[in-house]
Amino acid sequence: MIQQYSGIQAYILRIRRRLHQIPEIGLNLPKTASFIQRELEALQIPYVLSERDSGIMAVIKGDYPGKTVAFRADMDALQLEEENTVDYCSLHKGCMHACGHDAHMAMLLGTARLLMTWRHSMHGTVRLIFQPGEETARGAALAIQDGFVDRVDAIFGLHIGTLFGKEIPCGQFVAARGCCMASYDHFILKVKGKSCHGSNPEKGTDPIQIAAHMILALQTIQTRELSGTTASVITVGKVTGGFEYNVIPDEVLIEGTTRALNEEVRVYLAERIRQIAEATAQTFGGTCETKILWGAPPVVNDPRMARLAADAIAELLGEDKVSMEMEAPCMAGEDFANYLGRVPGAFLYLSSSNPRKGTDRPHHSSGFNIDEEVLWEGAAAFDRIARKMLQR
C-alpha cells in the first residue's frame, strides 16, 4: 500500500463493516442515510438531502473557481439472507449488502476525507452523490431530478467485486472505452384464460399452456430476428399461476428481464415481446396484458473521461494495474447510465476477486463478500481523478 493512503484504509474498513451490518432496501434508507450524514458532519462537509428519497449530495468547494466533478456511490442492499460467518454480518434479517454498495459508500467517504486535505488548493468543486434505489433502477433518475448533476462537468462511479469477471486479479481496475454494461429492463406478461376443472379442459382456456408457448416463442427473437453478433438477453425468471393441481386457472403471470448494448436493440426487444406475447395468447383463445418497466440504458463511458481515469490510476498504481480493454461488455446493468446520458464520465471497475479468501463469489449471492484490502485503492483512484481535473 502506498504510504500516504495507509491511514485511509483503516477508516474505510471501519465504515464498510458498519454499513454492511445495517443494509436497507429501495429508495428510503433511514439508518444508512443517517450514518452517512453523521460522517459528513464529522468531516465538516456540507450536504443537501433529497426530498424524494434518501439521496444525499455532499459538496466540497475549493478555494479557487474551476470545474465541477461528481463522484457517485449507490446505497441500497438486496433482499437476501446472508450466509457469511464474519463478525460484521447483516443485523437485518432477510437483507444483505450482496453487491458491494456498502464498500462503495465507504470508499466515497474515504474520498471525501482525502479531498478535504487539499481543498484549499482545489480549483473547482467536487460533489459526492450517495444514491439509493440502484437495484430498482430508480435512484439515478431521481438524483437527476433533484439537480445533483446540474452544471457538472464530469462524473465518475465505481463498482467493486467480480462483476466484470472473477478471473480479473484482485486490485485490478478496468476503465473501459465506450459501452461497458448493458441496459436492463423488466417485462411483466399477464396471460389471461378461463378457469375450469382439469378433467374438462375444453370448457376453459388454459393460460398455463399459453404461457408455455409464449416463453418458448420469446427466445426466437434472439435466435431468428437478431444477428448472431448482436448481444442481447431475454430471460424469464418468474412464472406464477395456478392454485390446485387439477384446476386450470384464470391467469398466469410471467416476469423477466431484457439486456442490450444499444438503445435500438433495447427498444426492439420490448416491442417484439409485446407483439409475440399478445399474438400467442390470441392464437390459443386468451389475452395478454404487457407491461414494460423501463430500467436503465446501456452504460457508455466517454472515451476521454475513461482515458483520464485510467491515466490517474496508472500514475497511482502503475500501468499494469489498469486496463481500458474488455473482452466484451458485461450484460449486467447499472443506473449510472442515466448520469452518463447527461454528463461525460466513466464507470470504473475494481476487482476484489480472491479465491483464497472466498471473495470470488458472484454478485447477488448470499455468500458474496469482497477482499477488503483493496478498499483504499477505490478512494485513492477517485482522489487522483479529482486532482487531475482540479489541481494546478
Side-chain angles (χ1 to χ4, degrees), residues 71-222:
F71 297 95
R72 172 274 212 166
D74 34 16
M75 304 164 68
D76 53 326
L78 291 156
Q79 198 166 337
L80 281 174
E81 189 68 33
E82 183 163 13
E83 291 183 0
N84 293 317
T85 56
V86 294
D87 59 7
Y88 52 88
C89 271
S90 169
L91 301 176
H92 296 173
K93 187 172 178 58
C95 190
M96 175 191 174
H97 272 298
C99 200
H101 297 187
D102 51 344
H104 301 166
M105 291 182 281
M107 288 187 287
L108 194 56
L109 284 169
T111 302
R113 190 167 170 173
L114 292 171
L115 294 170
M116 290 297 284
T117 66
W118 59 276
R119 69 188 185 281
H120 294 306
S121 65
M122 186 182 291
H123 290 254
T125 301
V126 176
R127 295 185 189 177
L128 307 174
I129 299 171
F130 295 88
Q131 176 217 305
E134 187 280 324
E135 297 293 352
T136 59
R138 296 179 61 197
L142 292 176
I144 290 168
Q145 291 177 38
D146 284 329
F148 285 4
V149 294
D150 287 356
R151 298 175 299 282
V152 166
D153 296 292
I155 188 167
F156 298 89
L158 182 151
H159 213 304
I160 198 170
T162 61
L163 192 65
F164 284 15
K166 66 178 184 179
E167 70 283 353
I168 298 175
C170 189
Q172 182 85 17
F173 282 87
V174 178
R177 302 180 181 90
C179 183
C180 62
M181 295 181 74
S183 63
Y184 70 111
D185 301 303
H186 176 188
F187 63 85
I188 302 172
L189 309 175
K190 186 181 287 188
V191 184
K192 294 186 175 183
K194 181 182 178 184
S195 180
C196 66
H197 196 278
S199 63
N200 302 111
E202 74 281 1
K203 293 182 179 180
T205 301
D206 189 348
I208 293 179
Q209 180 192 18
I210 296 172
H213 283 278
M214 198 176 287
I215 292 167
L216 292 174
L218 293 181
Q219 304 308 313
T220 65
I221 299 172
Q222 293 171 277

Side-chain angles (χ1 to χ4, degrees), residues 68 97 238 275 292 339:
T68 298
H97 272 298
K238 185 178 180 181
Q275 291 172 350
I292 304 295
Y339 299 117

Side-chain angles (χ1 to χ4, degrees), residues 59-69 118-119 121-127 153 386 389-392:
V59 180
I60 299 174
K61 191 170 183 180
D63 284 2
Y64 304 96
K67 294 181 177 179
T68 298
V69 182
W118 59 276
R119 69 188 185 281
S121 65
M122 186 182 291
H123 290 254
T125 301
V126 176
R127 295 185 189 177
D153 296 292
M389 295 196 70
L390 305 178
Q391 203 171 47
R392 298 177 187 175

Side-chain angles (χ1 to χ4, degrees), residues 171-175 309-311 313-314 317-324:
Q172 182 85 17
F173 282 87
V174 178
D311 288 346
I313 295 166
L317 299 171
E319 292 187 5
D320 62 328
K321 295 289 285 184
V322 59
S323 172
M324 296 190 70

